[in-house]
Amino acid sequence: MACMSVTHYMPMLRAVESCLSMAELKQRHSLLLRLGLSNDNHAMSRVVTFCCLSEYGDLNYALKVFATLPNPDTFLYNTLFKAFYLSQMHANSIFLYSHMLEQSVMPNSFTFPSVIRACEVEEGKQIHAHVVKFGFGADIFALNNLVNMYFGFRCLEDARKLFDKMPVRNVVSWTSVVSGYSQWGFVDEAFRVFELMPWKNSFSWNVMLAGFVQSNRFKEAFDLFNRMRVEKEELDKFVAATMLSACTGLGALEQGKWIHGYVERSGIELDSKLGATIVDMYCKCGCLEKAFQVFRGLKERGVSCWNCMIGGLAMHGKGEGAIRLFREMEEAVVAPDSITFVNVLTACAHSRLIEEGRHYFGYMIRVYGIEPTKEHYGCMVDMLARDGRLEEAKEIINEMPMSPDAGVLGALLGACRIHGRMELGEEVGKRVIELDPGNSGRYVILANMYASCGKWEEVASVRKLMNDRGVKKEPGFSMIELEGTVNEFVAGGKDHPLAEAIYAKVDEMLGSIRLVGFVPEADGGLHDLVEEERENPLLYHSEKLAIAYGLLKTKRGETLRITKNLRVCKDCHQASKLVSKVYDCDIIIRDRNRFHHFSKGECSCKDYW
């Protein structure tokens, strides 16, 4: 039996590959053993491959079979390397590689990619030496994986040196370098390499686009995207998802609609992940009805889709709607995760649903066994503190099983400013600054609180601390997309080509709303002296400039959609309400925390933000 030719037992080996369960595989394996093929690497490799790589497989059974073989060959080792990588059992790969060398089994070009991906950097350097030692110093697959490995551990010089010395490079080599620089924030260097690429594919373009988007360089992402379209490169679902994220960041609804339309026209698969990205884009571009329409039309709705829609309702102040959708999610037998409950609790906080928030905090633990994270505690603190229940919020912080971070304490600090609790705010503000010393917003709130009390020496002290630590103020800006172009405004800025007309419109706008009761905050400039500089008068805050531009460029009654990177100040909030009344238009502003829908002199937040 042992000398049976391959042609005689090939049908049996094909039968091994077609097994539909481990029970069936074990029967076929038993037959092979009875035929005397227990030491036949070719036959046993089929069994091991099924156990390692089939959806019905069992890696432990593969290891038992492997252990019985007296002379396993390179193919068998490589199969296990791949299985260990897919199972994220990286230490096993390193151990097995050592065993392979001890058995004098020579690696081949398929060995190194899986082994390299399992390495920490020091092990990777040793494997790099083996790649050269065993004669694979020009093997592009091994070298590409080494480049990725070095970038993964932020060994940028090593990665670039290896790339520069590669005798042959393919599109994967170049893309690995672009991706490597991008992931560590070196987007300019990534773009320089991208421009040098002799050829590009859709994945290369997407990696560069993602680099810009992840660094919040949305305009550059759109410039590159437009160039990609001009060069007639394929727009696949990955490019679509990346650019939808850019639309989300900029609030570029028209661009987002175009990409969504392209997905539908071109037949790109609208899977759950891409569907969630489209829903998220519409939510964060202020188009909640369209988001719901897309959500309802999705054939496949994973937990991320539900989370995006619930989170969108929360951001828009639709707390009751978010809770209804959460109940519908449960009825659809989709298990909520930790993010789901962050969104539900955020919805309760923004809509003043205190008792509902308490209920769902306990419900999360009791029903789903989800242990609260700092984000959940932060939502509870925000909900209670925002409603003026500062002592209850403090109690939540004191009862947390972990130390509160800057996010949790920051929620309490913001509420102290809103409710004028100077003493508590000062105490919390100092703690937050020490926990998050590089975040300019923490200094902003404390300085504003001091300013509201006329404590100018303390304001100066906060400014000095920022300067001493090299903390730069985050500049306030607002964006509005019109006629396919995103226009950005900063407080008091005059760089826009229509600046003269825009400022004239602001003056007209302010004159009109004064007639219906608008009174600018007398101390507003002092309150915002850190957020939007004191030399830029409150009357010319960035959202007022964006609204004025929108009124110039649209017909009466059209909706204006504006994105702002900071929290809307009281003065601009009141002005926006009255502009919506006088000019008979809806204004939707997305600030750092939530959406404000201004219509007929009212705001969706009911002045609770």
Side-chain angles (χ1 to χ4, degrees), residues 19 28 153 262 276 294 342 584:
C19 289
R28 304 281 166 80
F153 291 101
Y262 179 86
V294 174
V342 169
D584 188 27

mmCIF file of all heavy atoms in Angstrom, residues 19 28 153 262 276 294 342 584:
data_model
loop_
_atom_site.group_PDB
_atom_site.id
_atom_site.type_symbol
_atom_site.label_atom_id
_atom_site.label_comp_id
_atom_site.label_asym_id
_atom_site.label_seq_id
_atom_site.Cartn_x
_atom_site.Cartn_y
_atom_site.Cartn_z
ATOM 1 N N CYS A 19 -14.523 17.914 1.930
ATOM 2 C CA CYS A 19 -15.238 17.609 3.185
ATOM 3 C C CYS A 19 -16.043 18.820 3.655
ATOM 4 O O CYS A 19 -15.633 19.973 3.481
ATOM 5 C CB CYS A 19 -14.254 17.204 4.277
ATOM 6 S SG CYS A 19 -13.512 15.584 4.026
ATOM 7 N N ARG A 28 -12.088 10.433 6.344
ATOM 8 C CA ARG A 28 -11.197 10.336 5.173
ATOM 9 C C ARG A 28 -9.739 10.162 5.623
ATOM 10 O O ARG A 28 -8.955 9.440 5.006
ATOM 11 C CB ARG A 28 -11.325 11.590 4.306
ATOM 12 C CG ARG A 28 -12.757 11.881 3.847
ATOM 13 C CD ARG A 28 -13.164 10.988 2.673
ATOM 14 N NE ARG A 28 -14.603 10.999 2.436
ATOM 15 C CZ ARG A 28 -15.264 11.944 1.783
ATOM 16 N NH1 ARG A 28 -14.617 12.982 1.297
ATOM 17 N NH2 ARG A 28 -16.565 11.849 1.616
ATOM 18 N N PHE A 153 6.447 49.254 13.083
ATOM 19 C CA PHE A 153 7.093 49.539 14.361
ATOM 20 C C PHE A 153 7.776 50.911 14.365
ATOM 21 O O PHE A 153 8.627 51.198 15.192
ATOM 22 C CB PHE A 153 8.097 48.434 14.701
ATOM 23 C CG PHE A 153 7.443 47.132 15.024
ATOM 24 C CD1 PHE A 153 7.388 46.110 14.088
ATOM 25 C CD2 PHE A 153 6.831 46.940 16.252
ATOM 26 C CE1 PHE A 153 6.768 44.901 14.376
ATOM 27 C CE2 PHE A 153 6.217 45.736 16.559
ATOM 28 C CZ PHE A 153 6.174 44.714 15.625
ATOM 29 N N TYR A 262 -22.868 57.706 -7.394
ATOM 30 C CA TYR A 262 -21.908 56.918 -8.182
ATOM 31 C C TYR A 262 -21.931 55.458 -7.742
ATOM 32 O O TYR A 262 -21.894 54.541 -8.579
ATOM 33 C CB TYR A 262 -20.497 57.493 -8.033
ATOM 34 C CG TYR A 262 -19.459 56.710 -8.797
ATOM 35 C CD1 TYR A 262 -19.211 56.977 -10.139
ATOM 36 C CD2 TYR A 262 -18.739 55.678 -8.183
ATOM 37 C CE1 TYR A 262 -18.280 56.238 -10.857
ATOM 38 C CE2 TYR A 262 -17.814 54.942 -8.885
ATOM 39 C CZ TYR A 262 -17.580 55.220 -10.228
ATOM 40 O OH TYR A 262 -16.667 54.481 -10.923
ATOM 41 N N ALA A 276 -23.087 51.794 6.229
ATOM 42 C CA ALA A 276 -22.926 52.566 7.470
ATOM 43 C C ALA A 276 -22.209 53.883 7.207
ATOM 44 O O ALA A 276 -22.551 54.919 7.791
ATOM 45 C CB ALA A 276 -22.154 51.738 8.497
ATOM 46 N N VAL A 294 -31.716 55.903 3.513
ATOM 47 C CA VAL A 294 -30.660 54.943 3.145
ATOM 48 C C VAL A 294 -30.654 53.789 4.130
ATOM 49 O O VAL A 294 -30.568 52.609 3.741
ATOM 50 C CB VAL A 294 -29.285 55.636 3.109
ATOM 51 C CG1 VAL A 294 -28.175 54.614 2.885
ATOM 52 C CG2 VAL A 294 -29.246 56.703 2.019
ATOM 53 N N VAL A 342 -23.059 54.076 24.183
ATOM 54 C CA VAL A 342 -22.516 55.442 24.204
ATOM 55 C C VAL A 342 -23.466 56.369 23.443
ATOM 56 O O VAL A 342 -23.786 57.480 23.904
ATOM 57 C CB VAL A 342 -21.105 55.491 23.584
ATOM 58 C CG1 VAL A 342 -20.662 56.936 23.366
ATOM 59 C CG2 VAL A 342 -20.092 54.784 24.483
ATOM 60 N N ASP A 584 -36.273 83.973 6.547
ATOM 61 C CA ASP A 584 -37.131 82.861 6.162
ATOM 62 C C ASP A 584 -36.320 81.697 5.581
ATOM 63 O O ASP A 584 -36.574 81.211 4.477
ATOM 64 C CB ASP A 584 -38.179 83.330 5.136
ATOM 65 C CG ASP A 584 -39.228 82.257 4.846
ATOM 66 O OD1 ASP A 584 -39.467 81.424 5.739
ATOM 67 O OD2 ASP A 584 -39.764 82.232 3.729
#
